[in-house]
């Protein structure tokens, strides 16, 4: 069982917006502004899409955005494109509970 | 261009050992925390271990404490993971990643299979 809870699946049609949630506790998501989101295509290494809740690394499209409220973080993908179909994982710093952070179980995003 | 190249995986019997390596290039290796993250077949991501820039601090997930050792050679821009007393549940793709808990770059992964 993963430390952070994500829905196993999400879907949307091209052009639509989809939001994926990531629920933790006050010891991780709620306690720090160090939530990250990763995209992973089949057979590939994960790619950082969002860090520190809402910051986008260089090269990540503006269609990807992140937010947090209390113990729940969210990733929103706007203007869905076929290439957005992938697994998405959230992670959060967790202090002394886990110095490398904790991950969610992952969400499979399907573009219909 | 940042590059992380993982190597050293393979098939090993339960109780055996393996040493994973990660060759880094394209950035100042000695100024970053580094980590190993694993992914069991069909499963999610799990942080395994990380190490401070100068090697003075190392942290591990509980399930590998006392069995795995992370180390680095800043002169050779390399990261290592010595894995001893391997168990079937250690079977996974192991990724080298830049960062301590926020992983900006990842290696391509190396598969470790623990089976008799």
């Amino acid at each position: 069982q993963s430390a952070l809870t994500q829905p196993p699946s999400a879907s949307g049609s091209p052009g639509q917006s989809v939001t994926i949630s990531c629920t933790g506790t006050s010891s991780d998501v709620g306690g720090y502004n160090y939530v990250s989101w990763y995209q992973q295509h089949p057979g590939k290494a994960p790619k950082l899409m969002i860090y520190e809740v809402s910051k986008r690394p260089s090269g990540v499209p503006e269609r990807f955005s992140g937010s947090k409220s209390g113990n729940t973080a969210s990733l929103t993908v706007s203007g869905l494109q076929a290439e957005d179909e992938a697994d998405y994982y959230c992670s959060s710093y967790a202090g002394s509970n886990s110095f490398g952070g904790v991950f969610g179980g992952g969400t499979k995003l399907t573009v219909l | 261009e940042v590059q992380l190249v993982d190597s050293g995986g393979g098939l090993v019997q339960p109780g055996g050992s393996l040493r994973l390596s990660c060759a880094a290039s394209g950035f100042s290796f000695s100024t970053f925390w580094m980590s190993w993250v694993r992914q069991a077949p069909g499963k999610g991501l799990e942080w395994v271990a990380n190490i401070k820039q100068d090697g003075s601090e190392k942290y591990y997930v509980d399930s590998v404490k006392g069995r795995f050792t992370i180390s680095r050679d800043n002169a050779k821009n390399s990261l290592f993971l010595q894995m001893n007393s391997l168990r079937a549940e250690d079977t996974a793709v192991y990724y080298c990643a830049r960062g301590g808990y926020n992983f900006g770059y990842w290696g391509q992964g190396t598969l470790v299979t623990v089976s008799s």
Side-chain angles (χ1 to χ4, degrees):
Chain A
Q1 188 171 353
S2 301
L4 306 180
T5 300
Q6 298 180 234
S9 63
S11 63
S13 299
Q16 288 187 331
S17 293
V18 169
T19 297
I20 299 170
S21 62
C22 170
T23 302
T25 69
S26 58
S27 296
D28 37 65
V29 174
Y32 308 94
N33 287 323
Y34 291 124
V35 175
S36 301
W37 289 91
Y38 301 90
Q39 177 192 65
Q40 186 179 35
H41 287 109
K44 301 294 187 181
K47 175 187 176 183
L48 179 66
M49 304 301 284
I50 296 288
Y51 67 101
E52 292 178 10
V53 177
S54 60
K55 297 178 180 179
R56 271 179 291 104
S58 175
V60 172
E62 293 183 9
R63 306 184 291 104
F64 291 85
S65 61
S67 62
K68 189 185 86 167
S69 178
N71 296 336
T72 298
S74 298
L75 172 72
T76 298
V77 186
S78 304
L80 270 175
Q81 298 183 4
E83 59 262 36
D84 298 334
E85 184 163 299
D87 293 324
Y88 290 84
Y89 294 91
C90 63
S91 75
S92 173
Y93 182 67
S96 60
N97 290 325
S98 174
F99 286 107
V102 290
F103 283 97
T107 298
K108 169 65 177 177
L109 175 60
T110 300
V111 180
L112 302 171
Chain B
E1 178 193 6
V2 173
Q3 273 203 311
L4 297 170
V5 180
D6 304 319
S7 62
L11 175 64
V12 62
Q13 292 188 339
S17 298
L18 273 181
R19 188 189 195 215
L20 306 184
S21 299
C22 170
S25 61
F27 65 101
S28 182
F29 179 76
S30 64
T31 65
F32 286 88
W33 279 77
M34 295 295 295
S35 298
W36 289 98
V37 178
R38 69 184 177 184
Q39 186 171 35
K43 302 297 184 181
L45 301 170
E46 180 184 40
W47 166 76
V48 174
N50 59 16
I51 184 169
K52 194 176 179 179
Q53 290 90 330
D54 61 357
S56 61
E57 294 182 36
K58 305 175 185 181
Y59 301 100
Y60 302 90
V61 68
D62 285 348
S63 59
V64 309
K65 284 179 182 176
R67 300 188 299 121
F68 290 12
T69 301
I70 189 171
S71 61
R72 64 192 297 163
D73 184 338
N74 287 340
K76 295 183 178 179
N77 292 338
S78 295
L79 179 72
F80 306 100
L81 186 67
Q82 177 66 44
M83 304 186 296
N84 299 330
S85 302
L86 283 161
R87 306 166 179 167
E89 54 265 35
D90 296 319
T91 294
V93 174
Y94 285 73
Y95 296 98
C96 161
R98 191 179 85 172
Y101 56 86
N102 170 34
F103 311 115
Y105 291 91
W106 298 64
Q108 85 286 3
T110 186
L111 176 62
V112 172
T113 302
V114 184
S115 175
S116 55

